[in-house]
Each structure stands twice: as structure tokens, then as C-alpha cells.
Amino acid sequence: MHVKLPLVEEIDKLQTSLETYKLDRLTVNTVDNQPITVAVGLTYRIPAGAVLKLLYEVGRAGNVDIADNFQRIIADRTARIFAQQNTTTISENRERLSTALKALLSTDLGRLYGIEVVDFQIAGITYSDSFRASVEAAVKAKNEAVAAENTVNRIRCEAQQAVARANGEVEAKLRIADADRQAAILNAQGNAEAIRLEGESRANVLRLNAEVLRTNALVVELVKADRWNGTLPQTLLDGTGITPLLGLPRPDNAGAAK
């Protein structure tokens, strides 16, 4: 019989609370063969039933290589997902990529190690210098194209405005010319009407005078008497011996005295 004291030589510990495993600089390639560097984080929990398997059935005994196993799985699945993406669409598909990686790691880590994946985060994406330069050049070219298109649109708009302004000026001049023509026509018609009326008036006067003279010849003498100022002419033509006198009717209307 030998007596041996129950002395504890070594204790293996494993955290079962919520924990996050990070890979800050993981380089992967995209489908268009562009290298990018990503920072990812895996939030997980080790269930109580998976502790024994992780400590003594996976890798070396204890918890010395559990993180290494996580790293290889996370790096491989992340590279696999990003290899299916085009570099130019990664930023816009970032949330979808995180969801796909979470589902893939939940299946594989749960099957291999019994780990419960709570969340997966893509904390950062760093593109290569050549890709950033090409993107900047593309953005610059696009901006220049937009600026050129805006310039063309501005010139086209200015040309349309100039044409519209010229058409407006021509239309205004045509309207002014038409108004002047109408005014000239109306003025000429007015003058012609005035001349016609004046001619008719004079004709009427002459007709009335002729009618008066025809009916009464003494009207001429009456006009002379009406217009005479009572003075005789200062100069008489030599040899005529004529002294202008008004003809007055005789009492018996038989003749005129001179």
C-alpha cells in the first residue's frame, strides 16, 4: 500500500463568455485581381458543451492554439468571399459581405469547433495605391466629362436664348414696320379723303357761285362794292382814260351808269 496525496499539477482555463477575435491586417484578392487589406472582427461565444472538445480534442491539449485555429478559418473564408467580388463594388456591398461571412463562419466554426458565432464585422477596407490612383483618375475624368457636358449645355442654352432674342427682335421690328405701314396707309387714306372732301367742297362752292351768277348777274357788282375800301387807284394807265367806277343799277333797271 502506498499513499499519494491528491496534488493538482496544472489547470486548463477557457473563457466561455462573449468575446471578439480580431484580424487587423488581412490581405485578400478580388475577382479582378486587386489586393486589398481588411480589418475584421468575429464576436463569438464558446458553449459549455464545446469546452472539452476545444481543450483536448482540437489541436494541442489546453487553450494554447485555439486562436490559431480561429485565424486560419476566418482568413480562409474571408478570402473566399472577397475573391467573388469586384473591387469597385466592395464598398456598396459591404453590409451584404458581412452577412455572408457571418453565415459561412457560423456554419463552419459551429461544425468544426462547436463555437456559436454572434456577429461578424468588417471594420476597415484599405485599397491599393494603384487602385486608388485609378479611381481618382476615373473620378477626375468623369468630373471633366460632366463639366464639358455642362459647358455644352450652357453654350446650347445661350445659343437658344440668342436665337430666341433675335427672333423676338425681328418679330418686334416686323410689328413696328407693319404698324408704320398701316399708319402710312391710314395717313395717305386720310389725306386722300381730305383732298377729296376739299375738292368736293370747292366744286360745290363753284357750282353754287355759278348758280348764283346764272340767276343774278348783279352779284359780281355786289361783291365789288363789298370789297372796295372807298379809295380810287393812285395810278391810271396812260391813254386808257378809264376811271374805274362801280356800276349801279338805274332806277328802272334799264342800264348801268358809269
Side-chain angles (χ1 to χ4, degrees):
M1 295 290 293
H2 298 278
V3 177
K4 183 178 180 180
L5 296 177
L7 299 178
V8 177
E9 296 180 356
E10 187 177 354
I11 299 177
D12 293 323
K13 297 181 179 180
L14 190 63
Q15 181 177 337
T16 57
S17 61
L18 195 66
E19 191 174 359
T20 299
Y21 182 82
K22 298 179 181 179
L23 286 176
D24 292 329
R25 296 189 59 83
L26 177 61
T27 301
V28 295
N29 290 324
T30 60
V31 70
D32 50 342
N33 202 29
Q34 284 289 333
I36 61 174
T37 302
V38 296
V40 298
L42 176 69
T43 302
Y44 66 97
R45 180 185 292 109
I46 299 176
V51 172
L52 183 61
K53 180 178 181 179
L54 286 174
L55 287 177
Y56 303 112
E57 297 180 8
V58 176
R60 291 179 295 170
N63 59 359
V64 293
D65 60 350
I66 294 178
D68 295 337
N69 295 328
F70 285 2
Q71 179 179 355
R72 288 192 294 270
I73 297 297
I74 295 172
D76 176 74
R77 304 308 185 265
T78 302
R80 186 184 304 178
I81 292 295
F82 274 89
Q84 303 172 5
Q85 303 299 314
N86 191 291
T87 310
T88 57
T89 61
I90 287 177
S91 295
E92 60 182 288
N93 294 332
R94 185 169 180 167
E95 183 176 356
R96 186 172 61 82
L97 293 175
S98 296
T99 302
L101 278 168
K102 177 184 176 182
L104 184 59
L105 289 172
S106 296
T107 300
D108 292 346
L109 291 178
R111 175 175 54 83
L112 293 173
Y113 307 123
I115 294 175
E116 177 187 351
V117 175
V118 178
D119 194 14
F120 183 84
Q121 310 89 26
I122 300 178
I125 300 175
T126 303
Y127 299 95
S128 64
D129 295 338
S130 60
F131 178 77
R132 286 199 300 268
S134 64
V135 170
E136 291 176 358
V139 171
K140 182 179 179 181
K142 183 177 180 180
N143 292 337
E144 291 176 351
V146 172
E149 184 178 359
N150 291 336
T151 301
V152 171
N153 291 334
R154 177 179 58 79
I155 294 174
R156 183 183 296 113
C157 182
E158 290 176 353
Q160 292 174 351
Q161 290 176 353
V163 171
R165 184 164 54 251
N167 291 336
E169 292 176 355
V170 171
E171 183 69 19
K173 290 180 179 179
L174 290 176
R175 289 182 180 274
I176 293 174
D178 185 65
D180 292 341
R181 183 177 62 83
Q182 293 292 338
I185 293 174
L186 293 176
N187 187 36
Q189 290 177 349
N191 292 336
E193 183 67 16
I195 293 172
R196 186 183 66 79
L197 294 176
E198 183 179 359
E200 290 181 356
S201 177
R202 290 182 178 180
N204 289 332
V205 170
L206 292 175
R207 187 170 55 255
L208 291 175
N209 289 338
E211 182 67 24
V212 170
L213 290 174
R214 187 179 62 78
T215 58
N216 192 350
L218 296 177
V219 172
V220 175
E221 300 299 331
L222 178 61
V223 173
K224 289 180 179 180
D226 183 62
R227 294 184 178 183
W228 186 44
N229 57 4
T231 60
L232 293 176
Q234 299 294 322
T235 304
L236 296 177
L237 296 177
D238 186 22
T240 60
I242 300 175
T243 302
L245 295 176
L246 294 175
L248 298 177
R250 295 179 178 180
D252 54 358
N253 293 330
K258 294 184 181 180

